[in-house]
């Protein structure tokens, strides 16, 4: 293959001759390489190696770039990554990085529920949240609630989509910790553990007792929704909570135990099911609104006729969510009696201490 005067693709020189060098292997495919004599446009001669299989080229003085398929693909990948990095920098100019301590009590609780089981000191973990891998775990009392919490954190720019996330379901946590930017997931998880698991000895995750009370009511309402869904699942019927039903349940929680509300819901659902009033799909919250109306009538009549509202124990088949475990048992130091007595009894004991630590 001597005196090949064809121009080398992508580089401005001519190949004069090639000679096989069995002692030199291509670093990419391990095939033997040619020792090539070449000529620049100014007729100055020089030498380089070229692979006999994949055409990879090695220039001893690195005066030219290799244009084999592997090298071109590597340059394209590097260019793409550089563009993504630049786009991220531009995008991040509009993204505000908040201090972890400034997040709401609910936001902190949800983050700890996401991280606690997956981010440990002596176990390997990724530095991002893979939502697809955990979205069906019992993070909160029900799936729709945890989906709405995740969307809320994305909207608040606390969770930021990973640049290369294929389905946009992998997220970085966008917070500062003690003034430092981009803390590790372990550092974030450990700080949250200090706030929620150390009996307030290592910091306080709330601004006021009312913030904790609001979160407690919300979690217990979501426990009620979980019970409704659990009960309706045996009939293949959809049901969920909505704002109107939430307000009604909050009024009930002011006076009744969660277990008493369970009993009312069980009675109402059994009645509606026997009447064939429940629809398979909960379109426009038709089942939710029917249940609310039935419960209102049940409650009004019960108050007028002074009925005793029985208490239904929390079904053992219902899994406890991570958020409920952290808030009820670890942080507030309660036990399952919270489900069989009105909240106000437990709150009288909890509130003074929370007020003392309020910021």
């Amino acid at each position: 293959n001597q005196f090949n005067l064809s121009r080398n693709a992508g580089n401005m020189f001519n190949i004069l001759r090639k000679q096989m060098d069995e002692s030199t292997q291509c670093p990419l495919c391990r095939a033997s390489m040619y020792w090539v004599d070449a000529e620049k446009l100014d007729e100055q001669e020089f030498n380089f190696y070229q692979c006999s299989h994949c055409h990879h080229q090695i220039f001893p003085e690195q005066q030219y770039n290799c244009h084999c398929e592997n090298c071109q693909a590597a340059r394209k990948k590097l260019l793409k990554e550089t563009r993504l990095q630049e786009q991220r920098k531009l995008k991040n100019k509009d993204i505000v990085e908040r201090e972890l301590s400034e997040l709401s009590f609910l936001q902190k609780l949800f983050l700890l529920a996401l991280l606690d089981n997956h981010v440990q000191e002596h176990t390997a973990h990724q530095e991002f949240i893979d939502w697809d891998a955990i979205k069906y775990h019992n993070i909160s009392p029900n799936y729709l609630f945890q989906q709405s919490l995740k969307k809320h954190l994305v909207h608040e720019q606390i969770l930021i989509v990973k640049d290369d996330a294929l389905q946009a379901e992998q997220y970085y946590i966008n917070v500062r910790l003690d003034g430092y930017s981009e803390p590790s997931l372990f550092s974030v998880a450990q700080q949250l553990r200090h706030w929620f698991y150390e009996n307030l000895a290592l910091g306080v995750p709330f601004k006021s007792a009312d913030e904790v009370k609001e979160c407690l009511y919300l979690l217990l309402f979501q426990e009620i929704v979980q019970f409704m869904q659990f009960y309706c699942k045996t009939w293949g019927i959809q049901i969920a909570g909505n704002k109107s039903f939430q307000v009604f349940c909050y009024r009930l929680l002011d006076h009744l135990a969660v277990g008493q509300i369970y009993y009312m819901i069980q009675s109402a659902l059994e009645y509606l099911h026997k009447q064939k009033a429940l629809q398979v799909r909960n379109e426009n919250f038709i089942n939710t609104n029917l249940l609310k109306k039935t419960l209102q009538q049940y409650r009004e009549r019960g108050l007028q006729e002074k009925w005793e509202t029985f208490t239904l124990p929390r079904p053992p088949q219902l899994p406890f969510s991570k958020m409920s475990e952290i808030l009820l048992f670890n942080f507030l130091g309660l036990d399952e009696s919270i489900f069989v007595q009105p909240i106000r009894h437990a709150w009288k004991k909890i509130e003074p201490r929370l007020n003392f630590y309020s910021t």
Side-chain angles (χ1 to χ4, degrees):
N1 195 17
Q2 294 185 345
F3 304 103
N4 178 1
L5 297 178
S6 61
R7 183 152 299 181
N8 187 56
N11 286 321
M12 302 300 288
F13 60 80
N14 294 321
I15 292 175
L16 301 176
R17 63 184 65 82
K18 295 179 181 180
Q19 188 173 358
M20 184 68 74
D21 182 355
E22 299 286 354
S23 65
T24 306
Q25 290 186 329
C26 173
L28 300 182
C29 70
R30 315 311 297 172
S32 297
M33 300 193 80
Y34 290 113
W35 176 248
V36 181
D37 294 325
E39 181 185 63
K40 296 180 185 178
L41 295 184
D42 61 3
E43 298 185 354
Q44 185 179 348
E45 291 190 15
F46 69 102
N47 301 99
F48 64 93
Y49 286 104
Q50 184 178 50
C51 178
S52 60
H53 175 67
C54 71
H55 308 296
H56 177 58
Q57 295 170 331
I58 300 173
F59 297 93
E61 296 179 14
Q62 299 182 344
Q63 66 269 58
Y64 294 107
N65 289 322
C66 174
H67 288 270
C68 74
E69 287 184 9
N70 283 319
C71 288
Q72 288 194 73
R75 277 195 292 275
K76 282 180 183 176
K77 185 181 178 184
L78 183 63
L79 187 62
K80 185 180 178 183
E81 286 173 355
T82 305
R83 283 174 181 163
L84 280 171
Q85 199 171 11
E86 290 302 317
Q87 286 170 6
R88 191 180 174 195
K89 282 179 183 176
L90 288 170
K91 198 164 56 176
N92 284 356
K93 286 182 180 179
D94 301 323
I95 293 175
V96 178
E97 196 178 40
R98 293 162 63 186
E99 186 70 30
L100 183 64
S101 59
E102 293 174 5
L103 271 54
S104 73
F105 183 72
L106 177 63
Q107 289 168 343
K108 290 170 188 161
L109 175 61
F110 182 56
L111 281 181
L112 180 56
L114 286 177
L115 298 176
D116 197 32
N117 289 346
H118 304 286
V119 181
Q120 304 287 340
E121 186 172 9
H122 301 297
T123 57
H125 58 267
Q126 297 161 316
E127 282 299 321
F128 59 86
I129 293 171
D130 189 347
W131 183 253
D132 267 345
I134 62 171
K135 63 183 176 183
Y136 295 118
H137 293 190
N138 295 313
I139 300 162
S140 78
N142 63 79
Y143 174 76
L144 291 176
F145 180 52
Q146 64 199 39
Q147 193 71 12
S148 70
L149 285 174
K150 187 266 293 183
K151 285 182 180 176
H152 166 71
L153 291 195
V154 172
H155 180 262
E156 292 293 308
Q157 297 182 337
I158 296 164
L159 294 181
I160 301 293
V161 176
K162 232 173 134 267
D163 290 333
D164 57 349
L166 297 176
Q167 302 298 325
E169 287 286 77
Q170 295 176 337
Y171 302 94
Y172 294 117
I173 295 184
N174 177 46
V175 295
R176 297 173 71 85
L177 183 57
D178 297 330
Y180 290 98
S181 187
E182 298 185 8
S184 68
L185 281 196
F186 176 73
S187 301
V188 172
Q190 200 65 358
Q191 180 59 68
L192 292 167
R193 289 180 187 122
H194 288 165
W195 284 335
F196 283 90
Y197 293 160
E198 298 297 333
N199 203 24
L200 303 181
L202 297 178
V204 178
F206 57 88
K207 293 180 175 60
S208 68
D210 283 343
E211 187 183 18
V212 178
K213 187 178 183 181
E214 185 180 331
C215 188
L216 175 60
Y217 266 69
L218 179 60
L219 258 290
L220 291 178
F221 167 68
Q222 297 299 338
E223 288 275 346
I224 290 166
V225 173
Q226 182 190 24
F227 174 79
M228 289 157 40
Q229 292 174 334
F230 165 77
Y231 212 82
C232 287
K233 191 176 180 181
T234 57
W235 302 321
I237 286 170
Q238 291 180 352
I239 199 161
N242 60 15
K243 196 67 183 174
S244 170
F245 188 71
Q246 182 177 348
V247 171
F248 173 67
C249 284
Y250 277 27
R251 288 204 301 269
L252 292 179
L253 284 168
D254 284 337
H255 304 284
L256 300 174
V258 174
Q260 290 176 300
I261 299 171
Y262 283 167
Y263 177 80
M264 289 172 60
I265 287 172
Q266 182 190 55
S267 303
L269 287 174
E270 288 284 358
Y271 168 76
L272 291 170
H273 183 58
K274 283 175 185 173
Q275 297 294 317
K276 296 188 173 16
L278 296 171
Q279 306 298 308
V280 173
R281 296 177 64 81
N282 191 34
E283 290 179 358
N284 299 318
F285 294 101
I286 184 169
N287 292 335
T288 307
N289 295 332
L290 266 174
L291 176 61
K292 180 193 164 194
K293 185 178 178 182
T294 308
L295 288 171
Q296 282 174 321
Q297 292 169 347
Y298 184 97
R299 180 69 177 155
E300 286 165 9
R301 191 173 170 193
L303 289 172
Q304 288 169 4
E305 300 183 15
K306 297 183 180 176
W307 289 351
E308 180 184 355
T309 305
F310 295 102
T311 301
L312 190 69
R314 190 178 188 279
Q317 309 96 305
L318 273 187
F320 262 113
S321 73
K322 188 70 179 175
M323 288 181 76
S324 296
E325 283 183 357
I326 294 170
L327 179 63
L328 300 178
F329 307 143
N330 297 109
F331 184 73
L332 295 177
L334 302 169
D335 54 31
E336 291 203 38
S337 65
I338 188 65
F339 291 94
V340 295
Q341 63 179 14
I343 299 174
R344 64 177 184 274
H345 298 313
W347 189 249
K348 280 179 186 175
K349 298 174 185 176
I350 296 167
E351 187 178 22
R353 187 164 183 268
L354 296 182
N355 279 331
F356 178 80
Y357 283 98
S358 293
T359 56

